[in-house]
Amino acid sequence: MPITKFTEVTQTLRKTQCAASAKGFSMLLSLALLLGTAFPAFSADLPEAEGEILIKITGNISKSNTEGKSSVEIDKAMLESLPVVTFSTVTPWTEGNVEWTGVRLNEFLEYIGAESHEFHVKALDGYEVDFRNVDLDKFPVILAYKQNGEYMSVRNLGPLWIMFPFADFPELDIQFNRSLSVWQVREIEVL
Amino acid sequence: MKEKPIIFFGLVAALGCVALLFYISLQIEHARERISWTNAVYGVGMFNHTNQTANNLFQLTNSLHNYRAAGNTDEKERTKKQYLVAFDVLWANIVSLRQMDKMEASADVHTLKDNARALLQELDPVFKPQVTLTDIETREIITKLNDLFTLNKNVGNSHFLEFSASSDDVDLSIARLQRMSRLLILTFGLSLITVFVLLWRIRSSEHRQSLQLKSAHDQMTLLVNDLRSGQVEKRAKNQFLAAASHDLRQPLHALGLFLNSLEKKVTDVDGQHLLGKIRSSTQALHNLFDSLLDISRLDAGVVEIHKKHIALESIFHHLREEFSELALQNNIELQIEPTDLIVYTDDVLFLRIVRNLMENAFLHAPESDIKLSANLVTPAEINYLSGQNPAITDKAPAVPTTPHPRSHDEKNLVRLSLSDDGPGIPASQHQLVFSEYYQIKNPERDRNKGLGLGLSIVKRLSDLLQHDLQLESDTTKGTTFFISLPQGERQKFDQSANQKMIANASSSDIAGLTVVVIDDEIDIRTGMEVILENAGCTVLTSESSSEAISLLVKTNLIPDIIIADYRLRDNKTGSQAVEEIREELNTDTPAFLITGDTSPIRVREASESGIRLLHKPVLPEVLFAVIDEVARETPEENYAEDAELQD
């Protein structure tokens, strides 16, 4: 059962923590520069996002494209540079048979240098869930950015939606996987 | 059929099983539909939606509050961005999600949805980046959003209640399913038990049937064997002989008694001549009955064997006396060679064998030479000779006998041969002549030539005595019968016994004896009375033992001998009558029984009583001889004989 624990209060709390940690920022940065030769994976692996940021990735990842933060920010151009996967399925939340277009989650995780296939998802509407126990190498679960060939707005539950190929793999059509089909994906923390 | 109710029961149980299974599957389907409907309407999806709606509303109002509280323009811009995103998120939740439309939701869900959509449509124009909200507008919007929040909360509450009721419903239907499946298990168990009971019953009934079949088969086999071996005919014949001979013997017996009395009364020559003819006819009749009786006695297995060491010459002497005159009459040259050999055999039965063979020769070889002789042979010789004619020797004895301690092989044998130069017997009929009622060349069945029982009696008797009997004959050189019997021991042979056997008793020997006759037939009583009184006896006749006792008491006589009919009135036997008289007189009075029964069972019964038994018809000479013999026996001898019988 999906548990929504995200409130404005906690969000505010996190922001305060971020602000508080800003003090040691320069120190951390100088340390990172000092150790730059020891950690060649830093910065240069991924290009910096130029367009609007669609999703931010933190946690157990080996790549980064933000200065001073071990996180990755992805824009539309970067997403579309990855191999495109398209399938159609009916969902409880949409009208009729819908064609979904996006990137395969395992390829996306590899792209951002994730060390595991388990991650914590946060959505714009405050929904959060741990994404576990899904064989991403076996099933083409995607991070969809198009619905019926159109980009999705926030009003239309976009811009990103984790989507399962329920029609092609009926065994995926269980209540638990529905709770993992997060819409309005905002942030991923790799576990 | 005991299986019927079981089959019916099993069928009902099996049908019950099927019906229950069908019902359960229907129930399961129903429960699944119910669960899926409950989940869709009140379940996790709806719960999440309500929760999400509340959260989205809260975020929007919160960001609007922040917007109102913002002091400077920068902060205004930042909080404006926030509430714009929050509005879009709420829009996505209320308008874009089709989930709420799919739910067959209750009225309050519709109200919530309609109100929320109407409000969002109304607010859409003012939630744009270029539109700046006044403080009053913002407060009014917050109030409207709060109303929506309350409405959403109420929907959540009522859904919680409905979900509870619905899940109770589901729980109940699962409980029912559980009960059903228990009933199903029970019913299934019952049908299984029924199946096993049926199988067991079928197995045991098959077993029973196979046993019945087997016993029926065994009975059939027995019957077929009986039919093949002639046992059935033999039994029928025995029954017929027993029934017929009893009825015929009574008058024949009386006839003999009267004839004897008449002889003394008829004085003229013609009368005596006629009487002589009547006597010879009666004699022939007697002989026929004796043959019949011999067969039935042999069949009953009651013939007792008393082997002794005897002089063969005593037998030959007897035959010479009996047949020499007959040979003269029939123009037969009879030659019986004198012998000094001793043989070990039952004198009476052996005499009957030779006599029957002699009679057979007289009948079938008229006007020929008949020669009887005996010689000693070694066992080797007899083995060689017996090998020549397996047709007779390989036949098992008709009556089982106890083997004599002295076997043929160890001792010398005496071989008797009786030959004639008559027409002879074709080889094909050698076996047949020993069967009952078989007569060669007597198709017209002339009864003067006998019944054809002679040789079959010879065969039975020689089997009984374990004397080897052989036949050598063909149509060119006449017929010779050989009998081989063990040689006796001279020092053991009993002179007196031989003398006694051939002793001829006459009526004068029994004169003066007191005789009690018990017979339930008046003719017999009268006949016995006449001939015994003629012989000089004192006769007391009675029809029962009690009558005899009262007569004895009245006349104050002590009887020398009791003669009783075996079958008396009131289901009494002669032996019982004899015992009663002996007890009354307190003496061991000599006695013998006379019977007309030839049925093997009767004969065996009578012989078991231990009292000597004569068979009707009894010729007067025989009667006198037996009276003489029995009356002379001392009580000691009687006891000795009893003891021997018990052995």
PDB file of all heavy atoms in Angstrom, chain A residues 134-149:
ATOM      1  N   VAL A 134      11.570  -5.698  -8.383  1.00  0.00           N
ATOM      2  CA  VAL A 134      11.141  -5.816  -9.774  1.00  0.00           C
ATOM      3  C   VAL A 134      12.378  -6.124 -10.609  1.00  0.00           C
ATOM      4  O   VAL A 134      13.404  -5.456 -10.471  1.00  0.00           O
ATOM      5  CB  VAL A 134      10.468  -4.520 -10.274  1.00  0.00           C
ATOM      6  CG1 VAL A 134      10.054  -4.672 -11.737  1.00  0.00           C
ATOM      7  CG2 VAL A 134       9.250  -4.191  -9.427  1.00  0.00           C
ATOM      8  N   ASP A 135      12.294  -7.188 -11.423  1.00  0.00           N
ATOM      9  CA  ASP A 135      13.424  -7.588 -12.256  1.00  0.00           C
ATOM     10  C   ASP A 135      13.467  -6.691 -13.487  1.00  0.00           C
ATOM     11  O   ASP A 135      12.798  -6.943 -14.492  1.00  0.00           O
ATOM     12  CB  ASP A 135      13.272  -9.060 -12.651  1.00  0.00           C
ATOM     13  CG  ASP A 135      14.537  -9.582 -13.307  1.00  0.00           C
ATOM     14  OD1 ASP A 135      15.393  -8.758 -13.670  1.00  0.00           O
ATOM     15  OD2 ASP A 135      14.662 -10.821 -13.436  1.00  0.00           O
ATOM     16  N   LEU A 136      14.246  -5.603 -13.392  1.00  0.00           N
ATOM     17  CA  LEU A 136      14.269  -4.609 -14.473  1.00  0.00           C
ATOM     18  C   LEU A 136      14.983  -5.110 -15.725  1.00  0.00           C
ATOM     19  O   LEU A 136      14.737  -4.615 -16.817  1.00  0.00           O
ATOM     20  CB  LEU A 136      14.947  -3.327 -13.981  1.00  0.00           C
ATOM     21  CG  LEU A 136      14.176  -2.600 -12.884  1.00  0.00           C
ATOM     22  CD1 LEU A 136      14.963  -1.384 -12.409  1.00  0.00           C
ATOM     23  CD2 LEU A 136      12.788  -2.174 -13.368  1.00  0.00           C
ATOM     24  N   ASP A 137      15.854  -6.157 -15.553  1.00  0.00           N
ATOM     25  CA  ASP A 137      16.513  -6.724 -16.738  1.00  0.00           C
ATOM     26  C   ASP A 137      15.553  -7.617 -17.522  1.00  0.00           C
ATOM     27  O   ASP A 137      15.705  -7.829 -18.708  1.00  0.00           O
ATOM     28  CB  ASP A 137      17.737  -7.533 -16.317  1.00  0.00           C
ATOM     29  CG  ASP A 137      18.834  -6.625 -15.765  1.00  0.00           C
ATOM     30  OD1 ASP A 137      18.907  -5.477 -16.249  1.00  0.00           O
ATOM     31  OD2 ASP A 137      19.564  -7.054 -14.862  1.00  0.00           O
ATOM     32  N   LYS A 138      14.594  -8.159 -16.803  1.00  0.00           N
ATOM     33  CA  LYS A 138      13.649  -9.071 -17.458  1.00  0.00           C
ATOM     34  C   LYS A 138      12.483  -8.298 -18.077  1.00  0.00           C
ATOM     35  O   LYS A 138      12.051  -8.614 -19.182  1.00  0.00           O
ATOM     36  CB  LYS A 138      13.133 -10.084 -16.421  1.00  0.00           C
ATOM     37  CG  LYS A 138      12.247 -11.171 -17.008  1.00  0.00           C
ATOM     38  CD  LYS A 138      11.863 -12.177 -15.931  1.00  0.00           C
ATOM     39  CE  LYS A 138      10.915 -13.218 -16.496  1.00  0.00           C
ATOM     40  NZ  LYS A 138      10.368 -14.059 -15.408  1.00  0.00           N
ATOM     41  N   PHE A 139      11.952  -7.312 -17.331  1.00  0.00           N
ATOM     42  CA  PHE A 139      10.758  -6.604 -17.808  1.00  0.00           C
ATOM     43  C   PHE A 139      11.116  -5.181 -18.246  1.00  0.00           C
ATOM     44  O   PHE A 139      11.812  -4.470 -17.528  1.00  0.00           O
ATOM     45  CB  PHE A 139       9.707  -6.550 -16.696  1.00  0.00           C
ATOM     46  CG  PHE A 139       9.298  -7.895 -16.185  1.00  0.00           C
ATOM     47  CD1 PHE A 139       9.678  -8.318 -14.922  1.00  0.00           C
ATOM     48  CD2 PHE A 139       8.536  -8.754 -16.987  1.00  0.00           C
ATOM     49  CE1 PHE A 139       9.291  -9.552 -14.454  1.00  0.00           C
ATOM     50  CE2 PHE A 139       8.158  -9.986 -16.522  1.00  0.00           C
ATOM     51  CZ  PHE A 139       8.526 -10.408 -15.254  1.00  0.00           C
ATOM     52  N   PRO A 140      10.632  -4.809 -19.404  1.00  0.00           N
ATOM     53  CA  PRO A 140      10.932  -3.447 -19.905  1.00  0.00           C
ATOM     54  C   PRO A 140      10.074  -2.375 -19.232  1.00  0.00           C
ATOM     55  O   PRO A 140       9.196  -1.783 -19.863  1.00  0.00           O
ATOM     56  CB  PRO A 140      10.628  -3.554 -21.404  1.00  0.00           C
ATOM     57  CG  PRO A 140       9.587  -4.635 -21.512  1.00  0.00           C
ATOM     58  CD  PRO A 140       9.825  -5.591 -20.365  1.00  0.00           C
ATOM     59  N   VAL A 141      10.355  -2.147 -17.949  1.00  0.00           N
ATOM     60  CA  VAL A 141       9.653  -1.068 -17.242  1.00  0.00           C
ATOM     61  C   VAL A 141      10.323   0.248 -17.673  1.00  0.00           C
ATOM     62  O   VAL A 141      11.551   0.311 -17.751  1.00  0.00           O
ATOM     63  CB  VAL A 141       9.776  -1.255 -15.719  1.00  0.00           C
ATOM     64  CG1 VAL A 141       9.001  -0.178 -14.987  1.00  0.00           C
ATOM     65  CG2 VAL A 141       9.277  -2.647 -15.318  1.00  0.00           C
ATOM     66  N   ILE A 142       9.510   1.230 -17.979  1.00  0.00           N
ATOM     67  CA  ILE A 142      10.109   2.471 -18.533  1.00  0.00           C
ATOM     68  C   ILE A 142       9.823   3.693 -17.663  1.00  0.00           C
ATOM     69  O   ILE A 142       8.895   3.694 -16.847  1.00  0.00           O
ATOM     70  CB  ILE A 142       9.609   2.763 -19.968  1.00  0.00           C
ATOM     71  CG1 ILE A 142       8.064   2.940 -19.991  1.00  0.00           C
ATOM     72  CG2 ILE A 142      10.031   1.662 -20.921  1.00  0.00           C
ATOM     73  CD1 ILE A 142       7.534   3.489 -21.303  1.00  0.00           C
ATOM     74  N   LEU A 143      10.666   4.682 -17.877  1.00  0.00           N
ATOM     75  CA  LEU A 143      10.387   6.022 -17.348  1.00  0.00           C
ATOM     76  C   LEU A 143       9.812   6.794 -18.552  1.00  0.00           C
ATOM     77  O   LEU A 143      10.540   7.205 -19.447  1.00  0.00           O
ATOM     78  CB  LEU A 143      11.701   6.661 -16.858  1.00  0.00           C
ATOM     79  CG  LEU A 143      11.599   7.965 -16.101  1.00  0.00           C
ATOM     80  CD1 LEU A 143      10.784   7.777 -14.808  1.00  0.00           C
ATOM     81  CD2 LEU A 143      12.983   8.495 -15.769  1.00  0.00           C
ATOM     82  N   ALA A 144       8.444   6.868 -18.552  1.00  0.00           N
ATOM     83  CA  ALA A 144       7.770   7.388 -19.757  1.00  0.00           C
ATOM     84  C   ALA A 144       7.730   8.902 -19.732  1.00  0.00           C
ATOM     85  O   ALA A 144       7.551   9.518 -18.676  1.00  0.00           O
ATOM     86  CB  ALA A 144       6.356   6.817 -19.808  1.00  0.00           C
ATOM     87  N   TYR A 145       7.955   9.507 -20.903  1.00  0.00           N
ATOM     88  CA  TYR A 145       7.822  10.970 -21.017  1.00  0.00           C
ATOM     89  C   TYR A 145       6.800  11.361 -22.070  1.00  0.00           C
ATOM     90  O   TYR A 145       6.482  12.515 -22.243  1.00  0.00           O
ATOM     91  CB  TYR A 145       9.173  11.640 -21.297  1.00  0.00           C
ATOM     92  CG  TYR A 145      10.005  11.014 -22.415  1.00  0.00           C
ATOM     93  CD1 TYR A 145       9.737  11.333 -23.754  1.00  0.00           C
ATOM     94  CD2 TYR A 145      11.038  10.138 -22.120  1.00  0.00           C
ATOM     95  CE1 TYR A 145      10.493  10.756 -24.767  1.00  0.00           C
ATOM     96  CE2 TYR A 145      11.795   9.576 -23.129  1.00  0.00           C
ATOM     97  CZ  TYR A 145      11.528   9.876 -24.464  1.00  0.00           C
ATOM     98  OH  TYR A 145      12.263   9.306 -25.467  1.00  0.00           O
ATOM     99  N   LYS A 146       6.292  10.320 -22.821  1.00  0.00           N
ATOM    100  CA  LYS A 146       5.248  10.638 -23.796  1.00  0.00           C
ATOM    101  C   LYS A 146       4.071   9.700 -23.626  1.00  0.00           C
ATOM    102  O   LYS A 146       4.229   8.518 -23.316  1.00  0.00           O
ATOM    103  CB  LYS A 146       5.788  10.475 -25.226  1.00  0.00           C
ATOM    104  CG  LYS A 146       6.517  11.697 -25.760  1.00  0.00           C
ATOM    105  CD  LYS A 146       6.933  11.444 -27.210  1.00  0.00           C
ATOM    106  CE  LYS A 146       7.689  12.645 -27.786  1.00  0.00           C
ATOM    107  NZ  LYS A 146       8.243  12.305 -29.122  1.00  0.00           N
ATOM    108  N   GLN A 147       2.863  10.262 -23.765  1.00  0.00           N
ATOM    109  CA  GLN A 147       1.636   9.483 -23.721  1.00  0.00           C
ATOM    110  C   GLN A 147       0.931   9.725 -25.041  1.00  0.00           C
ATOM    111  O   GLN A 147       0.632  10.882 -25.371  1.00  0.00           O
ATOM    112  CB  GLN A 147       0.780   9.991 -22.542  1.00  0.00           C
ATOM    113  CG  GLN A 147      -0.294   9.009 -22.097  1.00  0.00           C
ATOM    114  CD  GLN A 147      -1.218   9.642 -21.044  1.00  0.00           C
ATOM    115  OE1 GLN A 147      -2.331  10.048 -21.325  1.00  0.00           O
ATOM    116  NE2 GLN A 147      -0.680   9.764 -19.833  1.00  0.00           N
ATOM    117  N   ASN A 148       0.699   8.600 -25.796  1.00  0.00           N
ATOM    118  CA  ASN A 148       0.101   8.706 -27.131  1.00  0.00           C
ATOM    119  C   ASN A 148       0.858   9.722 -28.000  1.00  0.00           C
ATOM    120  O   ASN A 148       0.271  10.533 -28.718  1.00  0.00           O
ATOM    121  CB  ASN A 148      -1.379   9.105 -27.060  1.00  0.00           C
ATOM    122  CG  ASN A 148      -2.231   7.951 -26.526  1.00  0.00           C
ATOM    123  OD1 ASN A 148      -1.877   6.772 -26.732  1.00  0.00           O
ATOM    124  ND2 ASN A 148      -3.320   8.266 -25.874  1.00  0.00           N
ATOM    125  N   GLY A 149       2.216   9.700 -27.860  1.00  0.00           N
ATOM    126  CA  GLY A 149       3.051  10.555 -28.706  1.00  0.00           C
ATOM    127  C   GLY A 149       3.168  12.006 -28.243  1.00  0.00           C
ATOM    128  O   GLY A 149       3.857  12.801 -28.857  1.00  0.00           O
TER     129      GLY A 149
END
